[in-house]
Amino acid sequence: MNTKGATPEQYGLDTGGLSSLQIEVARKLMPIISTGRWAVGEKISDAALAREFGISRTPVRQVLQFLAEIGTVAQTDNRGFTLVRPPPVDENVDELVPPSEVDTLYRQIMHARANGLIGSEASETELLEYFGTSRGTVRRTLIRLSAEGLAERRDGHGWRFAECLDNRQAVNESYAFRAIIECGAVMEDTFCADPEALEALEREQTALLNAPLASIEGSAWFEANARFHETVVSWSNNRFLVQSIRRQNSLRRMTEYAEFAELSEAGVRKAARDHLAILEAINTDDRKLASAILFRHLSRSPAGAAVTPGRIED
Amino acid sequence: MNTKGATPEQYGLDTGGLSSLQIEVARKLMPIISTGRWAVGEKISDAALAREFGISRTPVRQVLQFLAEIGTVAQTDNRGFTLVRPPPVDENVDELVPPSEVDTLYRQIMHARANGLIGSEASETELLEYFGTSRGTVRRTLIRLSAEGLAERRDGHGWRFAECLDNRQAVNESYAFRAIIECGAVMEDTFCADPEALEALEREQTALLNAPLASIEGSAWFEANARFHETVVSWSNNRFLVQSIRRQNSLRRMTEYAEFAELSEAGVRKAARDHLAILEAINTDDRKLASAILFRHLSRSPAGAAVTPGRIED
DNA sequence: TTTTGTATTATCGATACATATAAATCACTT
DNA sequence: AAGTGATTTATATGTATCGATAATACAAAA
C-alpha cells in the first residue's frame, strides 16, 4: 500500500466537493426524502431542515444545491427548493455520497482491530502509515474513538485501544454488565418512559417480529437492538448509565465487523418478543416485571450450550 | 488579555520546567515517597518506576532530577537516586508542582459552568479568550471532557456541555450510578473477595476510623475511599464494572478540586464504619447484607437534609 | 411577516516548520 | 548480569498562517 502523499482519490473516494458536515447532512437527508416526507413538487424548506439538524442554513443549502445538480430537487428563483423526484435508492448512497474520511478510517480501524491486524496499542504515525491517510484524519478519528470509549491516550506516547469482545470471557462479562446496568436503570426512581419513543420502539420491534427473516439486514437488526437498549436506559435520566450502554454498543458494533452474525430465525423472534414484553411492562409501569424480563433476556445460559461459541445473539 | 505569544509564566503558572507528563509523574511519585515506600538512604530505581507507570525512563529521571534539586533525593554517579528526606507535605504539592495546564483549565471550566459564568454552548475561541490559554490546551481539555461524557462537539461549530454539569444533578446521578454498579458487582455470581486485599482494606479503614480528624488529609481520605470502592468492585471479576468505577473515581477526583470537600467528623466516621461493615459482611459471605449496606451508603438522602448542598461526603 | 438569496464575519481545519520530549539504544559502571 | 547514564531516534507539541466553511446578518422577494 502506498503510504506517502496519498490523496483520497487514490482510494476511490470522490467527495464530490462536499465537506464532512455536508456529507453527513446529505446522508441524513436522502433517506428522509426517500421515505416520502415531501410529495413531488412540494417545497423543501432549508431553514426548517437547518433547525431540525441543529446547524446553520449554509451547509443545508449546499447539500440541496448538490441534490439539485443530480436532479433530485429543483431550485427556483426566490421560491426555494422543491422535490423533483426521490433520490436514487439507498444502496447507491455510498457511491453518490461516499462516507467521510473519518467514517472510513473509523471502520477500517475497527475492522483491523477486530481481526487482530493491529495490536492494542499504536502511535498516530503507525496508523497514519498503515492506512495511508493524513495525520488530521487519524487524529480526528482517534478523538472520536476516544469519545466512544474505544481508545484512549496513553501517558507519554501513543494510543491504547479498548480490548474487543473477542473472547468468551469478555462477552460474558459484557452481558453481565449490561444486565446490571439495564435492570438498575429500569428500577431507578428517576426512570420515566417517553410515550412517543416507546411507541416508536414498539412499532420497530413489531416490524422485526413479523418481517420475513430474509428481508432483515444484519446491521439493521443490530442497530434496532442497540437503539432499543439505549433508549430504555435513557429513560433512567442518568447520563452515566446511558454512557455505559453507548460504550457497550460501540464495543459490540466493533465485534460485529469481525463476525457476520448470521441471524437465526429463533433468535431474532425471541429477542423481538422479549423486547415487546419489556416495553409492555414499562408501559403499564410494572418495572419489576420489566427488569425481570430484561435480566433473563440478558442472561446467557451458563453452559453456553444453545449459543454458537463467540456468536452474539442480541 | 494578551492572546498572542502568551507563556505559562504570564498566568502565574510556573511549571518549574516540567512537562505535563512529568508533572503527572511528580504528583504521583511524591505521595508514594511520603507514604514511606523507601527508607531514607534507600535507592529509588528509575527503571522500576517507569515500568510501574507504564512509560519510559526519560520522564521519570527528569522528575527525579527535579526532586534532587529540591533536596528530596540525591543522585550519585553510577549509583542512581537515593532518598534523602521525604518531600514537603502534600499541601505544598500544588505550589511545588502546579497542576498541568489541562488540569487547570478543566477545573476552571467546571467551575465556570457550575456558576453559570459560561453557557451550555461555547466555541473554542470563546474559551480560549475567556480563560486566556492556548488553542491546544483548550482543544485537549475539551477532548478530555468529551471522553468523560461532559462535553460533546456540536455538528458544525462549537461544543455543547453536558446538560447540567451544574454539580447537584451530576453528583446525584453519579451516586445512583455507583449504587447500581457496586451493588450489582457484589451480587454477581463471579464475585470472589481476595482475603489479603480485604484485610488491607480493613486495616486502612480502621485507621481512618480511629485517627484524629485533624491528621487526616483530604486527598488521603479521598484516595482511601476510591481504593475501597474500586477494590470491592474488582472482586466481581468483571472488567466493565471495574472500568466504570475507575472512570467514576477519576471524575470525582477532578470535581473534588472544584468544591473543597471539608471533612466533617461525623461524615468521616460514618463512612469508615460503613466500609468496615461492608467488608465484614463480605468476609462472612453475606453478600445480600453487603449490598444493602452499600446501597444505603451510596444513597443520598432524598431531601439532602443532612448534607451540605453540593458537598461531597464520600 | 415570513421566507429566500446573498454578503459578511467568525470559526475551524489543514499545513508546515521549529521545538520539546518521550522512547529506544548503547556503552559503561557496579 | 543488572542497573545507570548518555546518546540517538521517534514522536508529539506549539505556533503561525492560510484557506475552507459554517454561522450570522442583511436585503429582497413572496
Side-chain angles (χ1 to χ4, degrees):
Chain A
M1 185 184 278
N2 176 6
T3 59
K4 273 178 196 163
T7 62
E9 283 71 19
Q10 285 181 260
Y11 303 108
L13 292 171
D14 175 9
T15 55
L18 295 180
S19 77
S20 62
L21 176 55
Q22 290 163 15
I23 288 173
E24 221 175 286
V25 170
R27 293 170 72 93
K28 263 196 266 186
L29 180 55
M30 286 165 68
I32 295 179
I33 300 178
S34 290
T35 53
R37 180 189 296 193
W38 299 277
V40 169
E42 197 174 349
K43 203 178 74 183
I44 299 178
S45 156
D46 60 83
L49 281 171
R51 245 175 288 128
E52 181 174 336
F53 294 150
I55 56 178
S56 75
R57 286 169 56 213
T58 312
V60 175
R61 288 177 62 80
Q62 265 152 330
V63 169
L64 284 169
Q65 261 142 21
F66 166 77
L67 289 178
E69 274 172 38
I70 62 172
T72 296
V73 302
Q75 181 169 22
T76 342
D77 267 6
N78 293 323
R79 279 206 188 70
F81 299 90
T82 51
L83 181 60
V84 173
R85 60 155 187 266
V89 270
D90 298 43
E91 293 187 35
N92 290 2
V93 161
D94 272 9
E95 212 171 303
L96 213 56
V97 184
S100 71
E101 285 184 56
V102 171
D103 273 2
T104 309
L105 182 57
Y106 182 95
R107 261 156 221 269
Q108 287 176 329
I109 290 180
M110 298 255 272
H111 191 267
R113 270 296 290 150
N115 294 29
L117 298 175
I118 53 180
S120 69
E121 292 182 3
S123 74
E124 279 181 24
T125 321
E126 248 172 278
L127 297 170
L128 188 147
E129 286 177 2
Y130 188 86
F131 293 107
T133 38
S134 77
R135 183 168 224 98
T137 306
V138 171
R139 177 76 53 86
R140 268 172 298 134
T141 308
L142 285 168
I143 288 170
R144 175 162 153 196
L145 283 164
S146 81
E148 293 177 2
L150 295 178
E152 59 181 11
R153 289 200 71 83
R154 290 185 49 203
D155 290 337
H157 288 163
W159 295 76
R160 168 180 295 115
F161 294 106
E163 52 185 322
C164 9
L165 299 176
D166 53 1
N167 56 57
R168 182 93 50 97
Q169 176 67 13
V171 173
N172 286 341
E173 288 174 29
S174 167
Y175 273 92
F177 180 72
R178 290 167 65 209
I180 289 173
I181 294 286
E182 299 192 21
C183 293
V186 170
M187 297 307 290
E188 268 296 284
D189 293 336
T190 50
F191 186 91
C192 179
D194 169 28
E196 266 183 51
L198 194 146
E199 212 174 304
L201 285 182
E202 264 176 349
R203 269 199 305 277
E204 189 171 47
Q205 294 294 324
T206 308
L208 282 170
L209 185 57
N210 297 323
L213 188 70
S215 75
I216 303 176
E217 287 276 343
S219 62
W221 163 247
F222 180 91
E223 293 304 333
N225 278 323
R227 186 158 41 242
F228 169 84
H229 289 284
E230 185 175 325
T231 308
V232 168
V233 171
S234 77
W235 291 333
S236 70
N237 290 302
N238 186 310
R239 74 194 70 176
F240 302 113
L241 291 170
V242 175
Q243 203 180 14
S244 298
I245 286 303
R246 285 231 182 94
R247 266 190 239 276
Q248 285 291 314
N249 279 338
S250 300
L251 280 177
R252 286 152 41 72
R253 196 171 283 119
M254 174 156 82
T255 52
E256 204 220 9
Y257 285 102
E259 19 206 316
F260 317 44
E262 296 211 357
L263 307 178
S264 78
E265 176 87 30
V268 171
R269 305 306 182 197
K270 170 89 167 57
R273 270 198 307 274
D274 278 358
H275 291 162
L276 285 169
I278 292 162
L279 291 173
E280 171 71 21
I282 290 174
N283 206 10
T284 57
D285 206 40
D286 188 346
R287 305 239 295 276
K288 262 187 142 164
L289 178 60
S291 170
I293 307 176
L294 254 177
F295 185 79
R296 200 196 49 193
H297 180 68
L298 289 171
S299 294
R300 309 198 91 192
S301 45
V307 186
T308 315
R311 234 289 261 352
I312 293 180
E313 207 48 57
D314 162 54
Chain B
M1 186 177 280
N2 176 9
T3 57
K4 276 178 195 161
T7 61
E9 284 72 20
Q10 285 181 260
Y11 305 108
L13 292 171
D14 177 9
T15 54
L18 295 180
S19 76
S20 62
L21 176 56
Q22 290 163 15
I23 288 173
E24 222 175 285
V25 170
R27 292 170 71 94
K28 264 195 267 185
L29 181 54
M30 285 163 68
I32 295 179
I33 299 178
S34 289
T35 53
R37 180 189 297 192
W38 298 277
V40 168
E42 198 175 348
K43 202 178 74 182
I44 299 179
S45 156
D46 58 27
L49 281 171
R51 247 174 286 128
E52 181 174 337
F53 294 148
I55 55 178
S56 74
R57 286 169 56 212
T58 312
V60 175
R61 287 177 64 80
Q62 266 153 329
V63 169
L64 284 168
Q65 261 141 22
F66 165 78
L67 289 177
E69 274 172 36
I70 63 172
T72 298
V73 302
Q75 181 168 23
T76 342
D77 267 5
N78 293 322
R79 280 209 187 70
F81 299 90
T82 51
L83 181 59
V84 173
R85 60 154 187 266
V89 270
D90 299 43
E91 291 186 39
N92 290 0
V93 162
D94 272 7
E95 212 171 304
L96 213 58
V97 183
S100 71
E101 284 184 55
V102 171
D103 275 2
T104 309
L105 182 58
Y106 182 102
R107 249 172 283 165
Q108 286 176 329
I109 290 179
M110 299 267 276
H111 192 266
R113 274 292 295 150
N115 295 34
L117 298 174
I118 54 179
S120 70
E121 293 182 4
S123 73
E124 280 179 22
T125 324
E126 243 173 282
L127 297 170
L128 187 148
E129 284 175 4
Y130 187 88
F131 294 106
T133 38
S134 75
R135 192 187 205 80
T137 306
V138 170
R139 178 75 54 84
R140 266 171 299 133
T141 308
L142 285 169
I143 288 171
R144 174 156 156 196
L145 282 164
S146 81
E148 291 174 358
L150 298 177
E152 59 180 9
R153 284 203 72 83
R154 290 185 49 204
D155 290 337
H157 286 162
W159 294 76
R160 169 181 295 116
F161 294 107
E163 281 307 316
C164 317
L165 213 164
D166 90 25
N167 290 331
R168 187 92 48 100
Q169 175 73 9
V171 169
N172 285 342
E173 288 174 28
S174 167
Y175 273 91
F177 180 72
R178 290 168 62 209
I180 288 173
I181 293 286
E182 298 191 21
C183 293
V186 171
M187 297 306 291
E188 268 296 282
D189 293 336
T190 49
F191 185 91
C192 179
D194 168 28
E196 267 181 50
L198 194 145
E199 211 173 308
L201 285 182
E202 265 177 347
R203 270 198 306 275
E204 189 171 45
Q205 294 295 323
T206 308
L208 283 170
L209 186 58
N210 297 324
L213 188 69
S215 75
I216 302 177
E217 287 279 342
S219 62
W221 163 246
F222 180 89
E223 293 303 333
N225 279 323
R227 190 159 34 244
F228 169 83
H229 288 285
E230 185 176 323
T231 308
V232 169
V233 170
S234 77
W235 292 334
S236 72
N237 289 303
N238 185 310
R239 70 196 76 183
F240 302 112
L241 291 170
V242 175
Q243 203 177 40
S244 298
I245 285 303
R246 286 236 179 89
R247 265 191 244 276
Q248 284 290 313
N249 276 340
S250 67
L251 242 156
R252 283 152 42 73
R253 195 169 284 122
M254 285 315 300
T255 50
E256 201 219 12
Y257 292 114
E259 13 207 319
F260 1 174
E262 294 209 359
L263 305 179
S264 77
E265 175 87 30
V268 171
R269 307 304 184 199
K270 170 88 168 56
R273 270 198 307 274
D274 277 0
H275 290 162
L276 285 169
I278 291 162
L279 291 173
E280 171 71 23
I282 290 174
N283 206 10
T284 57
D285 206 40
D286 189 346
R287 305 240 296 275
K288 262 187 142 163
L289 178 60
S291 171
I293 306 174
L294 253 176
F295 184 79
R296 200 196 50 193
H297 179 68
L298 290 171
S299 294
R300 310 198 93 193
S301 46
V307 186
T308 315
R311 240 285 261 354
I312 294 181
E313 209 43 61
D314 163 51

